[in-house]
Amino acid sequence: VHVSERERKEQRAEHQALRSRFFLSHYKTLRPDSSFTAPTQPSAATEMPNFAGTWKMKSSENFDELLKALGVNAMLRKVAGAAASKPHVEIRQNGEQFYIKTSTTVRTTEINFHIGEEFEEETVDGRKCRSLATWETENKMYCKQTLVGGTGPKTYWTRELRGDELILTFGADDVVCTRIYVRE
């Protein structure tokens, strides 16, 4: 699916409007007094959490269950589970532009995307999809994945900064895998 430059600009404008509404409601929650005037756009310090860096996995829950939900057979799940037990993640960030490289002993994946713009990637089990990442909260991005061909469970991922940790979730229908990373 090709997105024209005009459609991309419209998507970006719509995303910015949604983000501004989120931050306005967030500021009003923090300062409900009527004398407070929220800015039309948040400052750079408030707006951009810093995901950049290299990350090592501290814990993982439900990875095998996620692979089962995706229809991965037992032998491949065993190989994938062993290979993905110590992934190395590198994130580069320039504003709302992200590059994420995840390396394991078996596979390396790279995605490059801008918040609010569709991009191509693969699901955890390697199926091609169109994805759209948006801000769910000021420190958490949510990415909906839509399969390019074939059928399968609805999938998504989130990445959230919580203190010194990066919380990564993968979802397949109602099964959720949570992986917690710390900076190297």
Side-chain angles (χ1 to χ4, degrees), residues 46-152:
T46 303
E47 183 176 347
M48 282 301 129
N50 183 14
F51 286 83
T54 54
W55 300 85
K56 64 180 178 180
M57 192 168 67
K58 176 174 136 180
S59 66
S60 178
E61 294 179 9
N62 289 340
F63 188 66
D64 191 60
E65 290 80 0
L66 176 77
L67 296 178
K68 281 181 193 174
L70 293 169
V72 177
N73 72 46
M75 184 178 287
L76 288 177
R77 284 198 318 269
K78 189 171 184 172
V79 170
S85 65
K86 295 194 185 281
H88 176 266
V89 177
E90 173 190 353
I91 300 177
R92 293 186 214 149
Q93 177 183 356
N94 183 6
E96 292 191 324
Q97 182 70 39
F98 288 86
Y99 166 82
I100 302 175
K101 180 178 180 181
T102 305
S103 305
T104 68
T105 56
V106 173
R107 177 178 157 179
T108 296
T109 61
E110 297 176 89
I111 56 175
N112 196 353
F113 64 94
H114 191 280
I115 299 289
E117 295 179 11
E118 278 195 337
F119 63 98
E120 294 179 12
E121 67 170 330
E122 293 182 352
T123 60
V124 172
D125 60 328
R127 293 172 295 141
K128 293 190 182 306
C129 64
R130 297 287 298 164
S131 298
L132 179 64
T134 57
W135 292 111
E136 189 170 281
T137 67
E138 63 184 351
N139 291 320
K140 182 178 183 180
M141 63 178 88
Y142 169 86
C143 186
K144 178 183 176 186
Q145 298 176 314
T146 304
L147 290 178
V148 171
T151 60

